[in-house]
Amino acid sequence: MKKIPLWPALLAAAELSAAGGVKPAAFLWCEAPPELARLFGSVGLKPEKAGPGNTDAPVQFMSGRFDHAANAKRYVDAVRAGKTVFVGFRDLAPVHRDMAEFLPVTPWSVKSHTLRRGGKKLVGFPGSGYEKLPPLAISNIADLHVPGAPIENSLMRYLTPGYLKPLNITDFRVLLTTDAGVPALISARVGAARVYVCGGDLFDPVLAKSPGYPALMRRLLKEAAAPLPQPKE
């Protein structure tokens, strides 16, 4: 495989301790909009810069391209360790097979801009708890295809084994769609981990200027800071 520069944007944030103390939220290779600092503080998280070796935080945001094995490994390691992981496709490219297996979407649709079906306004999916958000817009958004959806059932015969999913990917939730009805933000459990996938970039400048952005991020960060319920043995 051709070597590609490591350009993901990874945000790692620690959960609140049992005593309710504030924990650092470490930004790697990116800076979130300054206005997010207050939102992080509201759920007991403190944004800080960190070195590339910081991979132990229980909440991690990754946004970029994932055709490089090192990027895929960072995601897979976080999922296997039971973290809360946010994935955004800021740059469209084929997803590395090691990562594709453990994503709660079939990511062939994020390979190219030509696979997008349009729609740059985002709306909350009915029943998700996000349907009353103020207006949201984003500069670019890729389709997200949930395994088992009708569009996927008709295409499964074309997919490689790398797109097959283990049985421990469960609890799918569509949170946002485009105004064309295409899923744009989903969440699911992947084993002991909690994963959010955005078809674009949660730090996209157009999205960050949207009236609904503070409310969207406040809700997502509140979910991210909450302890993950673990399966009973």
Side-chain angles (χ1 to χ4, degrees):
M1 178 185 293
K2 184 180 178 181
K3 218 169 187 182
I4 296 174
L6 187 62
W7 288 334
L10 169 66
L11 163 73
E15 293 178 332
L16 288 172
S17 68
V22 175
K23 299 296 183 180
F27 289 77
L28 285 77
W29 309 310
C30 71
E31 292 184 8
E35 58 269 25
L36 286 187
R38 180 176 296 179
L39 294 181
F40 271 85
S42 70
V43 296
L45 300 173
K46 181 181 179 183
E48 293 181 357
K49 291 185 178 180
N54 187 341
T55 60
D56 292 331
V59 181
Q60 302 181 12
F61 283 73
M62 306 178 184
S63 185
R65 56 188 298 163
F66 299 99
D67 48 351
H68 192 278
N71 303 28
K73 183 177 185 302
R74 188 178 288 273
Y75 170 80
V76 173
D77 287 349
V79 166
R80 285 176 171 166
K83 312 296 187 183
T84 293
V85 186
F86 288 79
V87 174
F89 294 104
R90 186 181 68 243
D91 303 311
L92 298 189
V95 175
H96 193 279
R97 61 183 180 275
D98 293 344
M99 179 176 178
E101 180 181 357
F102 294 100
L103 274 176
V105 297
T106 49
W108 63 266
S109 59
V110 304
K111 289 181 178 181
S112 168
H113 292 269
T114 61
L115 297 173
R116 289 175 169 159
R117 287 184 287 171
K120 293 186 178 181
K121 294 181 180 179
L122 305 180
V123 296
F125 189 72
S128 67
Y130 289 75
E131 61 269 36
K132 294 183 179 180
L133 291 175
L136 292 163
I138 194 166
S139 60
N140 290 295
I141 192 77
D143 294 16
L144 294 181
H145 292 189
V146 177
I151 190 170
E152 286 302 304
N153 289 340
S154 64
L155 293 169
M156 281 301 291
R157 63 187 183 276
Y158 299 115
L159 298 182
T160 66
Y163 290 148
L164 300 177
K165 305 297 180 184
L167 294 177
N168 64 350
I169 300 182
T170 60
D171 300 349
F172 291 91
R173 297 164 61 212
V174 176
L175 306 180
L176 298 178
T177 69
T178 67
D179 52 352
V182 177
L185 178 65
I186 73 162
S187 70
R189 293 298 300 268
V190 182
R194 174 171 49 198
V195 175
Y196 297 79
V197 181
C198 178
D201 181 10
L202 282 175
F203 304 124
D204 173 73
V206 173
L207 179 60
K209 293 178 181 177
S210 298
Y213 187 66
L216 169 66
M217 293 306 298
R218 184 179 300 110
R219 188 173 185 91
L220 287 174
L221 291 175
K222 185 177 180 181
E223 288 188 17
L228 266 172
Q230 298 300 326
K232 296 180 179 180
E233 296 183 359

